[in-house]
Amino acid sequence: MNQPAPRFIAPTVVALAVLAVALAGLGGMVVGDRIYPLFGAGVLVCQGMLLVFEIILSGLVSRRAMFGLAAGHGGLMAACASLFFLPGSGLPTLLGSTAGGAVLGAVCFWWYEVRHSILFDR
């Protein structure tokens, strides 16, 4: 279970996260333009690839570390959504949505753990 993660995962995850935030911010700056949906598609591709790495890491790290991964991914998703859909709303909105996304990500993973333990651990 607690095996070391492959070395290529950390730089790739950081690059995808930075690219997702950058695309969300750029998409928020061109609201209403013809290329607005392309930035949204770029954010979704980056988030999907991050989810793939989270699935890969789920077999390598402990359950406690998975709570952190789920919270981090939820916070990143909420930050990207705030930058993309609520441009110009300010720093408190960005920080609040990021914190709310992190909490929601952790709660969703906890709910998964509860369901999994009820169904499969007898």
Side-chain angles (χ1 to χ4, degrees):
M1 185 69 137
N2 292 319
Q3 300 171 1
R7 291 179 184 243
F8 70 89
I9 288 182
T12 308
V13 167
V14 169
L16 285 171
V18 168
L19 185 61
V21 170
L23 287 173
L26 289 172
M29 292 190 326
V30 295
V31 174
D33 202 359
R34 287 183 54 192
I35 60 172
Y36 178 70
L38 292 176
F39 287 112
V43 172
L44 286 177
V45 166
C46 290
Q47 292 287 344
M49 291 307 296
L50 287 171
L51 186 59
V52 167
F53 284 114
E54 189 173 339
I55 291 169
I56 290 170
L57 287 174
S58 69
L60 301 175
V61 298
S62 66
R63 289 289 169 215
R64 185 175 214 173
M66 281 303 298
F67 274 108
L69 286 172
H73 195 233
L76 182 67
M77 288 176 66
C80 287
S82 178
L83 287 171
F84 192 73
F85 293 116
L86 304 171
S89 59
L91 185 62
T93 303
L94 178 64
L95 293 177
S97 66
T98 303
V103 168
L104 188 63
V107 167
C108 287
F109 185 74
W110 172 80
W111 184 247
Y112 165 77
E113 285 290 314
V114 168
R115 282 189 347 203
H116 191 269
S117 67
I118 290 171
L119 293 175
F120 298 112
D121 293 339
R122 291 186 181 195

